[in-house]
Amino acid sequence: MPIKKIERLTAHAGWALWKITESLSELKQDLPLSDEDKEILGAIKREEKQLEWLSGRLCIRALTEQQEIAYVCLKKDVHGKPFLMHEEAEISLSHSYPYVSAILNKEKPVGIDLEQPREQLLRISHKFLNPRERRHAEEDLRRLCLYWSAKEALYKIYARKKLIFNRDLEVLPFEMESEGIITGIIRADGEEHRHQLYYCHNDGYIVVFNV
């Protein structure tokens, strides 16, 4: 099993990082699929996306085993957020080939994002950063990527309605390190919620999730 990292965060939570090295047939052998799962997988045209879909579920299954809870299958709610059938644990997934990341928490909503710094972030920074954040990020791709991933994680934590990234989500100023904790804010329904977000670098990628 090519899990690059699986880490227990608390007695009730853990996260995992998977590097895809297997073929489709190998992943299918490791993950029993329901008829519904087979139909969903068959509708995914690109093989790369099929690999991500399968390895993401294997990643979640590894986390359920760590937490000693049953894995049956994943479903999505009306907002598109994945959840575990027959279990109360909260989960979140992210993928950027060849990596997949996942987090599970039995006590609170979670969000995780995995991204690679890329030039496109420079062109769209005005869409996801407020003026203060843009001044701080400048044209540093790693900072831009951390802002983007942090806001994606926040978006997944809330997971109830469409939020505007450069208005409803904010990341407070930070010093860029190899890993660290930053503060993210969600403003919705007249309320403000702050979340501590952990980030780290892995093989040219940035992973962010709430702790």
Side-chain angles (χ1 to χ4, degrees):
M1 180 179 291
I3 280 189
K4 186 170 179 128
K5 183 171 189 175
I6 183 165
E7 181 179 3
R8 187 182 293 274
L9 300 169
T10 69
H12 306 284
W15 82 284
L17 181 68
W18 182 293
K19 184 173 184 179
I20 301 169
T21 60
E22 310 88 343
S23 65
L24 273 176
S25 60
E26 288 171 327
L27 289 177
K28 287 177 181 178
Q29 288 176 359
D30 289 336
L31 183 70
L33 298 175
S34 66
D35 290 340
E36 183 179 353
D37 281 341
K38 290 176 182 176
E39 185 176 343
I40 293 170
L41 183 62
I44 301 173
K45 301 305 180 185
R46 291 176 56 196
E47 182 174 308
E48 182 180 292
K49 295 299 181 183
Q50 291 179 323
L51 291 168
E52 290 175 345
W53 189 92
L54 288 163
S55 56
R57 278 147 182 78
L58 285 165
C59 220
I60 290 291
R61 190 178 69 176
L63 290 170
T64 61
E65 291 172 355
Q66 181 192 66
Q67 292 294 323
E68 299 181 343
I69 59 179
Y71 175 90
V72 178
C73 67
L74 300 190
K75 298 283 187 179
K76 289 187 177 181
D77 66 17
V78 294
H79 303 290
K81 182 177 176 64
F83 65 93
L84 283 168
M85 282 290 290
H86 310 309
E87 290 292 341
E88 295 300 321
E90 298 276 348
I91 60 170
S92 182
L93 283 161
S94 184
H95 44 71
S96 182
Y97 189 85
Y99 286 101
V100 173
S101 58
I103 188 169
L104 181 151
N105 193 307
K106 293 192 285 188
E107 294 187 323
K108 65 181 183 181
V110 285
I112 192 167
D113 194 62
L114 167 72
E115 299 287 347
Q116 189 174 35
R118 58 193 192 278
E119 293 289 334
Q120 181 188 6
L121 293 171
L122 289 169
R123 299 193 296 272
I124 65 170
S125 63
H126 64 285
K127 294 183 177 181
F128 68 92
L129 298 181
N130 64 37
R132 193 274 307 158
E133 292 167 335
R134 291 182 71 187
R135 288 192 299 271
H136 178 248
E138 296 180 323
E139 294 188 352
D140 186 314
L141 285 180
R142 291 202 313 156
R143 285 188 183 181
L144 285 167
C145 187
L146 180 48
Y147 271 115
W148 173 262
S149 292
K151 292 196 175 190
E152 279 284 336
L154 291 169
Y155 189 86
K156 293 175 182 179
I157 293 167
Y158 188 69
R160 291 196 296 279
K161 72 172 186 178
K162 192 171 183 178
L163 299 175
I164 297 174
F165 275 42
N166 62 6
R167 185 194 68 190
D168 303 324
L169 304 174
E170 182 176 2
V171 176
L172 298 187
F174 56 85
E175 293 294 328
M176 194 75 185
E177 306 288 350
S178 59
E179 64 176 331
I181 299 290
I182 59 178
T183 300
I185 301 171
I186 301 171
R187 296 185 177 95
D189 303 319
E191 298 181 349
E192 178 177 295
H193 301 277
R194 296 194 173 210
H195 297 271
Q196 295 297 103
L197 304 171
Y198 168 79
Y199 73 89
C200 63
H201 297 264
N202 174 79
D203 195 22
Y205 290 77
I206 293 177
V207 183
V208 183
F209 55 82
N210 61 314
V211 292

